[in-house]
Amino acid sequence: MTTSASVPAGSDAAISGGTVTDRLVEANARYAADFADPGMDARPVLRVAVVACMDARLDLHAALGLNLGDCHTIRNAGGVVTDDVIRSLTVSQRKLGTRSVVLIHHTGCGMETLTEDFRTELETEVGQRPVWAVESFRDVDQDVRQSIQRVRTSPFLAHTDDVRGFVFDVKTGGLREIDPA
């Protein structure tokens, strides 16, 4: 799939006249020239928040049949439920009306190749140990279960009855639901 701001792999020289950020700003200028305010509210139409990995291979709106304004999307490395994800979900639910949570991890995730030793490596390199956990995992299904449990047991979330977790297959584009038990 190619988008207006995409750059073929290994083509740093193909970015004429500047950086990737310059290219993105140029793409935004073209977008803004034809932009019409859709008059939407910040509240998602489908009252759902999707938590997913930041992996560039996941086009969540296309994969889930979503349109602009349908959902809140929260992404991070691994799609794991961290304190910051709970913070975002809490705002999403308590101030912006979401009621459902969909968690999406994926096959071939880079977080499966890391360990907490990454923090030690960073400490050695920069002289300061990160306060955050890497949240790496070896078993994607088990990590989805853990993420479901973190959402369901958070005292800050008002709506935990519709929380479902999935693994997105990066080769087929399909979702596989994970049984939380």
Side-chain angles (χ1 to χ4, degrees):
M1 173 194 336
T2 302
T3 62
S4 61
S6 66
V7 178
S11 66
D12 290 340
I15 303 169
S16 61
T19 66
V20 171
T21 302
D22 293 331
R23 185 176 179 143
L24 297 175
V25 170
E26 290 170 12
N28 175 257
R30 290 187 298 276
Y31 172 80
D34 295 325
F35 185 79
D37 179 3
M40 294 179 175
D41 187 279
R43 298 173 186 273
V45 172
L46 298 179
R47 297 171 55 156
V48 63
V50 178
V51 178
C53 185
M54 66 187 192
D55 191 296
R57 297 172 290 180
L58 277 67
D59 182 348
L60 292 174
H61 277 72
L64 301 174
L66 296 168
N67 293 309
L68 182 66
D70 281 349
C71 72
H72 282 157
T73 306
I74 304 162
R75 297 181 79 157
N76 66 22
V80 296
V81 175
T82 61
D83 286 346
D84 195 59
V85 168
I86 295 294
R87 177 187 69 86
S88 294
L89 287 172
T90 301
V91 171
S92 179
Q93 287 189 358
R94 293 184 176 267
K95 296 300 180 186
L96 296 166
T98 60
R99 297 292 179 264
S100 300
V101 178
V102 173
L103 305 168
I104 301 178
H105 285 34
H106 66 91
T107 58
C109 185
M111 295 306 288
E112 293 175 289
T113 66
L114 294 176
T115 66
E116 289 298 318
D117 291 339
F118 181 59
R119 294 172 68 208
T120 303
E121 294 167 16
L122 288 171
E123 182 179 21
T124 300
E125 181 182 332
V126 303
Q128 182 177 343
R129 188 171 187 79
V131 296
W132 39 262
V134 175
E135 295 280 354
S136 60
F137 50 87
R138 295 281 176 250
D139 181 337
V140 68
D141 290 19
Q142 183 55 37
D143 202 66
V144 171
R145 285 186 199 94
Q146 177 176 292
S147 291
I148 292 169
Q149 188 64 18
R150 285 179 176 175
V151 170
R152 287 185 174 166
T153 60
S154 174
F156 306 109
L157 298 175
H159 306 283
T160 59
D161 56 321
D162 188 15
V163 179
R164 293 171 64 186
F166 301 86
V167 174
F168 177 86
D169 188 313
V170 297
K171 301 241 186 265
T172 68
L175 286 177
R176 179 172 53 82
E177 187 159 9
I178 301 302
D179 183 349

